[in-house]
Amino acid sequence: MWAEPLAQTTAEAQDVAKFWLDDGGANLRNATPYAVQATAGGERLTTDIVPGGPPASIPPLEGPTLPDGSAPAASGRVFFIGSDGEPHWCTGTVVNSLYRNLVATAGHCLLDIEAPMGSLGKWVFVPGYSDGQIPFGLYVGKRASVHSDFEGLRDFDRDYAFANVYSGVVLASPGVLSNVGRLAENVGAQGITINQPLAPTVDVFGYPAGPHPDGSLPYTGETLERSTGSTFAMNTTLFRADRPIGANSPFTAEGSLGSSWLTGYASGSRTGHLNGITVSVSDTDGDNRYDSGISPYFDSELYMVYRNAASMWTGVIA
């Protein structure tokens, strides 16, 4: 396990929050979907994946009462500054934890794989993001937990990260932050499950925004999208991964990095169990349209990283 510092002091976290919230949230609106390692060649396999350890799961935490048909408020965007010095975003998901402060996303939506693997700058999470709105506040990252094989070896079987965030804030007046409380208490949280056989189906939630290889652009990235499909073992090219899994999903690349794969999703409670995270997408049948999301397999190594992160306290910044 590797602990990666984000905004370590109250003053630093306040500066990060104001960077994103000042000027009417201009930096949030101007951010572009992250495109680093967003696509990979892929081949579907007929083999199964045999769990290498005992199964385990953590239950979800139901969120606020929302109108029927609403998207899960526990999904949202993570925002950060990339190696190019510009603001970007991926998808993130709240996961149940002791202090109600944990966000899961792709590892390379937190560590900068284009640089010497430090954290991406000014990292924050906005749950329930939709059409530029931040209905539940903005949550600044304090510390992240990643697998040491991803940080040190760039092993993409470990391309996942869990970030502990401070309690949320909004701008009460220009330059003045106001506390809105702990993340999962405001929006709920998904459970997590590991060492499972391949799921018959998963529901994928994310903010896809980029084009298909044929140039078509079915998504805007401004609202949370959902796709449902079967899972399968696969091989990939472009990056190192021994045991990736795939999910039938038409999501395009940019923006969908970090999307949650939920098993047992219940539309009424908007909860399920996180069992995959999109780290890339692939066109496996060569028709110039993406058809598969790619995730690391959720095994005991991932559970070790999650358990370390789940017991980390953060606090308030306003």
Side-chain angles (χ1 to χ4, degrees), residues 209-219 252 288-290:
H212 283 292
D214 65 8
S216 61
L217 191 66
Y219 303 108
T252 53
N288 284 324
R289 293 182 67 85
Y290 298 118

Side-chain angles (χ1 to χ4, degrees), residues 57-79:
S57 64
I58 302 296
L61 179 69
E62 195 165 338
T65 300
L66 298 173
D68 290 346
S70 296
S75 292
R77 282 189 184 180
V78 298
F79 292 86

Side-chain angles (χ1 to χ4, degrees), residues 42-50 198-199 230-236 242-247 261 284 292-295 297:
E43 175 191 11
R44 300 181 183 218
L45 304 177
T46 58
T47 55
D48 201 353
I49 288 183
V50 178
L198 291 177
S230 59
T231 62
F232 45 88
M234 65 182 304
N235 285 328
T236 64
D242 296 325
R243 194 164 64 158
I245 59 173
W261 299 16
T284 63
S292 302
I294 304 171
S295 171
Y297 177 71

Side-chain angles (χ1 to χ4, degrees), residues 138-232:
L138 178 142
Y139 299 76
V140 179
K142 180 177 183 179
R143 190 196 79 161
S145 297
V146 297
H147 198 286
S148 55
D149 284 356
F150 184 65
E151 190 279 334
L153 303 175
R154 304 200 182 193
D155 179 354
F156 288 90
D157 287 307
R158 309 297 174 205
D159 189 359
Y160 43 76
F162 296 93
N164 300 98
V165 297
Y166 295 95
S167 290
V169 292
V170 295
L171 279 181
S173 59
V176 179
L177 298 172
S178 177
N179 180 54
V180 297
R182 294 195 294 181
L183 176 59
E185 291 176 349
N186 291 332
V187 302
Q190 304 300 347
I192 189 168
T193 186
I194 60 102
N195 285 331
Q196 301 291 332
L198 291 177
T201 61
V202 292
D203 287 286
V204 181
F205 288 92
Y207 291 85
H212 283 292
D214 65 8
S216 61
L217 191 66
Y219 303 108
T220 67
E222 288 304 308
T223 57
L224 187 69
E225 302 287 348
R226 174 185 179 183
S227 72
T228 302
S230 59
T231 62
F232 45 88

Side-chain angles (χ1 to χ4, degrees), residues 3-31:
E4 183 69 25
L6 300 175
Q8 288 290 283
T9 68
T10 299
E12 183 182 1
Q14 290 173 341
D15 287 344
V16 170
K18 291 174 184 178
F19 171 84
W20 294 107
L21 294 174
D22 280 350
D23 300 320
N27 285 319
L28 293 173
R29 294 194 309 273
N30 293 332

